[in-house]
C-alpha cells in the first residue's frame, strides 16, 4: 500500500509534470521534504525538478509583519526578567541552557494552544 507521500508525489507528477520548480509545498517540518523528494524520484521515470519546500513556521514568518527574536537575545531577555525577581539568580552561563528549554516549552504551549494557567497549576 502506497504511503501518503507516495500518493502526493504521484498526484503532483500527474497534475504538473516533471517540472515542479514553480510549486511550493508546505509541511509541518523539514523532514517530510526529504521523503517527498525520494517519492518523486521513485514515481518518475525521468529526472524531476523538485518543488520548493517550506515549513508552516517559515510560511508564517514570511507573511507576518512581525520578526522572530534571535534565540540568544530571547534567552538574555528571559534572564533579565528572571534576575529581576530572584534574590540570588544563577549566572547567565548556568541559566542559558535552562532558558532555552523554558522558551521551547513556552513555544510548545503557544503552538498547541494549551491553557497555560491550567498547565502550570497542575505542575
Amino acid at each position: 500500500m502506497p504511503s501518503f507521500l507516495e500518493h502526493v508525489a504521484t498526484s503532483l507528477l500527474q497534475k504538473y509534470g516533471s517540472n515542479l520548480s514553480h510549486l511550493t509545498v508546505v509541511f509541518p517540518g523539514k523532514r517530510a521534504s526529504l521523503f517527498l523528494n525520494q517519492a518523486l524520484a521513485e514515481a518518475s521515470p525521468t529526472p524531476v525538478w523538485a518543488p520548493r519546500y517550506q515549513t508552516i513556521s517559515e510560511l508564517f514568518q514570511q507573511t507576518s509583519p512581525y520578526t522572530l527574536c534571535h534565540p540568544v537575545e530571547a534567552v538574555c531577555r528571559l534572564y533579565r526578567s528572571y534576575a529581576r525577581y530572584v534574590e540570588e539568580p544563577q549566572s547567565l552561563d548556568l541559566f542559558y541552557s535552562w532558558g532555552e528549554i523554558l522558551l521551547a516549552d513556552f513555544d510548545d504551549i503557544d503552538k498547541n494552544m494549551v491553557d497555560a494557567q491550567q498547565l502550570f497549576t497542575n505542575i
Side-chain angles (χ1 to χ4, degrees):
M1 177 173 186
S3 71
F4 172 73
L5 289 178
E6 289 170 341
H7 282 292
V8 171
T10 302
S11 177
L12 287 174
L13 290 168
Q14 287 174 351
K15 191 167 186 175
Y16 300 105
S18 62
N19 184 0
L20 305 174
S21 63
H22 61 283
L23 297 177
T24 299
V25 179
V26 179
F27 285 120
K30 292 184 182 263
R31 185 176 301 147
S33 62
L34 300 172
F35 293 106
L36 182 57
N37 275 343
Q38 181 180 355
L40 286 167
E42 291 172 0
S44 177
T46 61
V48 176
W49 286 100
R52 180 171 173 239
Y53 299 114
Q54 271 190 317
T55 64
I56 292 172
S57 294
E58 291 168 344
L59 177 65
F60 287 161
Q61 287 173 31
Q62 181 182 354
T63 59
S64 173
Y66 302 107
T67 57
L68 282 178
C69 180
H70 190 278
V72 174
E73 182 182 351
V75 173
C76 289
R77 286 182 180 197
L78 180 62
Y79 178 77
R80 282 192 296 270
S81 293
Y82 157 77
R84 210 174 331 176
Y85 294 101
V86 174
E87 278 187 38
E88 295 181 29
Q90 293 180 339
S91 64
L92 177 58
D93 59 325
L94 293 174
F95 175 85
Y96 196 87
S97 62
W98 287 107
E100 287 180 311
I101 293 167
L102 189 58
L103 289 172
D105 289 347
F106 288 159
D107 188 46
D108 287 341
I109 290 167
D110 187 44
K111 283 180 183 173
N112 294 300
M113 297 188 302
V114 172
D115 182 347
Q117 183 173 0
Q118 183 180 1
L119 174 69
F120 289 116
T121 299
N122 289 335
I123 291 177

